[in-house]
Amino acid sequence: MDKVLEAFDLYRFYHAGEEETLALRGVSIHLAPGELVAVMGPSGSGKSTLLACLAGLDEPDGGYVQLLGRRLTRRPQTERAAMRARKMGIMLQSGNLFDHLTVEDNIRLSMQLAGKVNQQRVGELLQLVGLKERSRARPAQLSGGEAARAALAVALSNTPPVLLADEPTGEVDVETEKYLLALLEDYTKGGGAALVATHSANLAARAGRIVHLLDGRTTG
Ligand code: ADP
């Protein structure tokens, strides 16, 4: 399949009293296996809204999203959640780690939600992100860099064909950023497709393609 994720003409409006915010105004986007695409734009340009719609966490007011050739938009929430759990890795700003679970149990839970726990893969993931020694730590006990790596391990737990990330390197030091970028590159070299909203010039430099957003529209 040449497109793992496609969005057609997405619109998303927010209403607060008299105020209407046009967060997305006709955004179309596509993602192919092996691609790393950076979504860039100033704060408020619609990046997080776009990722939430692509993940099926939010429903667009117009347009639709197709995941592996299957429509994700306007399905019951449980169906969207199941499609997301099996086919997508998600690193959004709200975080994907449960505070009361250890790093290891967070990975395991993500596998459970997708239907199958693979204990060997849990160990491989901890090794991959360099958290083998921290597997029993809870998120609050992790440094910012460790938390970002744990979040990536959870996102990659089910070897998803699609990875969506919102500022995955936003709050980490330069060394951790390099490390995360190398992991992202490995993921895409293995055929994974990653769409990443970012302000990072380093990440953008590694991207095969950059989509610029401004006021809810793509500008190139
Ligand atoms: P970015 O991620 O690029 O900073 P967002 O997608 O967060 O942009 O926001 C796009 C626009 O939508 C902004 O004007 C923001 O204030 C508005 N917005 C986002 N979420 C909501 C919401 N839940 N309610 C009202 N307005 C929102």
Side-chain angles (χ1 to χ4, degrees):
M1 182 178 299
D2 60 340
K3 302 283 187 311
V4 283
L5 187 69
E6 281 180 285
F8 301 93
D9 220 11
L10 296 183
Y11 283 80
R12 184 74 177 102
F13 310 135
Y14 293 113
H15 295 274
E18 301 277 291
E19 285 280 303
E20 184 180 60
T21 305
L22 308 173
L24 296 177
R25 328 181 188 206
V27 172
S28 295
I29 204 164
H30 58 89
L31 193 61
E35 269 197 307
L36 172 59
V37 174
V39 178
M40 303 191 82
S43 182
S45 57
K47 303 182 296 296
S48 302
T49 304
L50 174 62
L51 287 188
C53 286
L54 293 176
L57 289 163
D58 193 8
E59 283 278 64
D61 296 300
Y64 66 100
V65 175
Q66 205 152 291
L67 174 63
L68 300 170
R70 191 167 170 231
R71 182 176 44 78
L72 176 68
T73 307
R74 284 180 287 284
R75 280 187 191 280
Q77 199 163 351
T78 48
E79 278 183 40
R80 280 187 271 134
M83 286 172 76
R84 185 168 55 244
R86 294 197 186 105
K87 305 295 182 199
M88 283 187 185
I90 310 275
M91 285 176 82
L92 298 188
Q93 296 211 314
S94 49
N96 61 357
L97 300 173
F98 288 95
D99 288 340
H100 62 291
L101 295 179
T102 63
V103 173
E104 190 172 349
D105 286 342
N106 265 289
I107 296 173
R108 217 176 270 124
L109 175 65
S110 170
M111 289 178 172
Q112 250 163 21
L113 291 173
K116 187 165 183 272
V117 176
N118 177 341
Q119 192 52 41
Q120 188 185 333
R121 171 104 180 123
V122 175
E124 286 167 5
L125 282 161
L126 288 166
Q127 183 83 39
L128 180 74
V129 301
L131 289 177
K132 203 133 209 164
E133 311 302 316
R134 305 289 280 140
S135 63
R136 299 203 183 276
R138 287 173 207 276
Q141 299 166 320
L142 301 175
S143 69
E146 286 174 336
R149 287 184 275 140
L152 186 60
V154 168
L156 295 180
S157 58
N158 299 304
T159 34
V162 177
L163 178 70
L164 298 178
D166 199 354
E167 289 283 4
T169 63
E171 284 165 35
V172 303
D173 57 75
V174 178
E175 281 310 306
T176 305
E177 179 172 56
K178 270 193 201 152
Y179 193 90
L180 290 172
L181 290 179
L183 291 173
L184 275 180
E185 239 168 26
D186 285 349
Y187 168 74
T188 53
K189 277 195 186 127
L195 187 94
V196 182
T198 188
H199 290 290
S200 162
N202 294 332
L203 202 159
R206 303 257 192 134
R209 192 150 58 84
I210 300 178
V211 173
H212 293 278
L213 269 188
L214 188 64
D215 290 336
R217 290 194 180 96
T218 50
T219 61

